[in-house]
């Protein structure tokens, strides 16, 4: 009796924790989405548009990821077609995050280093085109996994049932080659973009004014972007970590896989709104007006050029 009760309580508690965290993350992200749509002034700021896209993307990712997790407990086997659709959107939204961070870095680089060109280069229309390009670049490789399965196996496989996991459905060598090539290319471009823009932002922050507070704020922004990217990239190290711990503790495989799922897939999405949204006073307090703290002092004390004033303004906004 105790063993059967424990067998029930263990999966129940795992699903309860996963669903609870999913609801919590969705609620927190939903607050920032509400703040964005409540104030139309955010619609004209590329920085907030890219940020809210990151938030909405995380909401979609959490929904599909948690749904997959729960369904694998409720239904041991379910339709390959349904599994493919869930994996398609879960994979796409997961891969969107690094590119969105790169887009945010480019926008900050232009705002701080090329402030006079920012209204033209970072228009609202161009921002939405960038978001569409991000979805296209990540949707196509995820869709390619389905076509690879169709080519390698009989089409009738999509009328069968399977344990829904990417390794069980997309485990061929062609899938592995596709994954390595595409992710190596994309992540290399993201890292090069981040390193280049962050170095330029720091240089501009130190050159714009003698006040070190601006340089420190820019440096914090850079560190937070880097932290978020590292959190997103943890998912790529999950298989290696799982293999290592499963070899050491084979009897605790269920708990290892559960802990790995929480740490590499769920918790980074919880930290994302805390890193960006709560730090932004306009978004947090539902205020549209820009804080002028410190800017008046810069004009009165030192007298900087109009171009440098735009740099200072961009640095203050993070």
């Amino acid at each position: 009796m105790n063993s059967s009760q424990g067998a029930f309580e263990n999966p129940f508690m795992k699903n309860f924790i996963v669903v609870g965290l999913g609801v919590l993350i969705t609620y927190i992200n939903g607050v920032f989405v509400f703040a964005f749509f409540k104030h139309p002034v955010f619609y004209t700021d590329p920085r907030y548009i890219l940020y809210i896209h990151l938030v909405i993307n995380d909401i979609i990712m959490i929904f599909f990821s948690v749904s997959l997790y729960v369904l694998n407990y409720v239904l041991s086997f379910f339709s390959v077609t349904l599994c493919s659709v869930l994996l398609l959107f879960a994979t796409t939204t997961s891969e969107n995050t690094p590119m969105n961070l790169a887009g945010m870095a480019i926008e900050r680089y232009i705002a701080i280093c090329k402030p006079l060109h920012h209204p033209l280069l970072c228009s609202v229309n161009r921002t939405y085109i960038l978001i569409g390009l991000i979805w296209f670049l990540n949707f196509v490789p995820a869709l390619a996994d389905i076509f690879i399965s169709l080519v390698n196996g009989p089409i009738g496989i999509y009328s069968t049932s399977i344990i829904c996991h990417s390794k069980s459905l997309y485990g061929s060598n062609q899938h592995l080659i596709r994954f390595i090539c595409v992710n190596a290319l994309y992540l290399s471009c993201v890292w090069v973009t981040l390193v280049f823009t962050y170095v330029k932002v720091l240089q501009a922050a130190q050159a714009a004014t003698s006040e070190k507070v601006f340089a420190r704020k820019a440096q914090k922004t850079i560190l937070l972007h880097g932290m978020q990217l590292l959190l997103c990239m943890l998912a790529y190290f999950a298989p290696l970590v799982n293999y290592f711990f499963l070899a050491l503790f084979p009897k605790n495989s269920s708990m290892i896989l559960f802990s790995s799922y929480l740490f590499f897939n769920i918790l980074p999405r919880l930290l994302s709104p805390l890193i960006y949204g709560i730090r932004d006073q306009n978004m947090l307090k539902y205020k549209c007006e820009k804080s002028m703290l410190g800017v008046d002092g810069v004009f009165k004390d030192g007298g900087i050029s109009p171009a440098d004033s735009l740099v200072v303004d961009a640095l203050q906004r993070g």
Side-chain angles (χ1 to χ4, degrees):
M1 180 68 180
N2 290 335
S3 60
S4 62
Q5 183 178 0
F8 169 77
E9 289 178 352
N10 190 30
F12 175 80
M13 287 304 300
K14 290 179 180 178
N15 282 275
F16 180 80
I17 293 173
V18 169
V19 173
L21 286 175
V23 172
L24 175 63
I25 295 170
T26 302
Y27 173 77
I28 296 174
N29 284 333
V31 171
F32 295 111
V33 173
F34 176 78
F36 177 85
F37 286 106
K38 183 179 179 180
H39 299 288
V41 70
F42 290 137
Y43 305 169
T44 61
D45 193 326
R47 174 171 174 257
Y48 286 110
I49 294 173
L50 288 172
Y51 168 70
I52 212 65
H53 172 253
L54 180 69
V55 170
I56 294 175
N57 183 80
D58 281 352
I59 292 176
I60 299 173
M61 185 269 175
I62 286 293
F63 172 78
F64 283 103
S65 179
V66 171
S67 297
L68 274 170
Y69 188 89
V70 174
L71 284 174
N72 275 319
Y73 271 101
V74 176
L75 304 172
S76 299
F77 297 90
F78 57 95
S79 170
V80 172
T81 301
L82 177 60
C83 177
S84 299
V85 173
L86 292 175
L87 287 175
L88 176 65
F89 286 98
T91 301
T92 301
T93 51
S94 178
E95 301 295 337
N96 280 346
T97 302
M99 285 194 175
N100 199 97
L101 292 172
M104 294 170 71
I106 293 173
E107 189 276 331
R108 286 293 84 198
Y109 161 73
I110 296 174
I112 293 173
C113 300
K114 310 287 183 181
L116 299 178
H117 300 285
H118 184 265
L120 176 63
L121 297 177
C122 297
S123 65
V124 172
N125 289 336
R126 288 174 183 251
T127 302
Y128 284 118
I129 291 174
L130 175 62
I131 291 174
L133 181 63
I134 290 172
W135 276 88
F136 175 79
L137 289 176
N138 290 300
F139 185 81
V140 170
L143 190 64
D145 285 333
I146 297 178
F147 285 105
I148 292 174
S149 297
L150 288 173
V151 171
N152 289 341
I155 194 170
I157 190 176
Y158 281 87
S159 61
T160 61
S161 298
I162 193 175
I163 298 176
C164 190
H165 192 274
S166 58
K167 290 295 181 64
S168 58
L169 189 59
Y170 304 136
S172 67
N173 290 332
Q174 290 90 336
H175 286 106
L176 180 61
I177 293 173
R178 197 285 302 168
F179 177 82
I180 293 175
C181 292
V182 171
N183 283 280
L185 175 62
Y186 285 3
L187 290 177
S188 297
C189 293
V190 169
W191 274 113
V192 170
T193 300
L194 289 174
V195 171
F196 172 79
T197 55
Y198 290 165
V199 169
K200 292 296 183 180
V201 166
L202 282 180
Q203 291 175 349
Q206 293 170 351
T209 176
S210 60
E211 295 292 337
K212 297 300 181 182
V213 63
F214 301 122
R216 286 198 298 269
K217 185 165 185 178
Q219 187 175 7
K220 289 180 181 178
T221 301
I222 290 171
L223 293 176
L224 292 174
H225 274 290
M227 181 188 301
Q228 177 63 9
L229 182 60
L230 287 174
L231 288 172
C232 294
M233 291 188 65
L234 285 177
Y236 295 103
F237 297 97
L240 180 63
V241 174
N242 291 341
Y243 178 82
F244 176 77
F245 281 101
L246 288 174
L248 290 178
F249 310 101
K251 295 182 179 180
N252 299 319
S253 59
S254 178
M255 183 56 63
I256 291 173
L257 294 176
F258 172 70
S259 301
S260 174
Y261 174 74
L262 288 183
F263 186 76
F264 293 117
N265 292 279
I266 300 297
L267 292 182
R269 268 68 194 183
L270 176 60
L271 295 177
S272 177
L274 300 180
I275 288 176
Y276 294 106
I278 292 180
R279 185 169 174 260
D280 190 296
Q281 295 301 314
N282 288 341
M283 185 68 73
L284 180 63
K285 297 180 179 180
Y286 300 166
K287 292 181 179 180
C288 300
E289 63 270 17
K290 178 179 62 179
S291 173
M292 299 300 292
L293 290 177
V295 176
D296 291 336
V298 172
F299 281 106
K300 292 176 182 178
D301 296 337
I304 59 177
S305 67
D308 279 351
S309 70
L310 292 174
V311 175
V312 171
D313 176 66
L315 288 172
Q316 284 190 309
R317 293 169 55 196

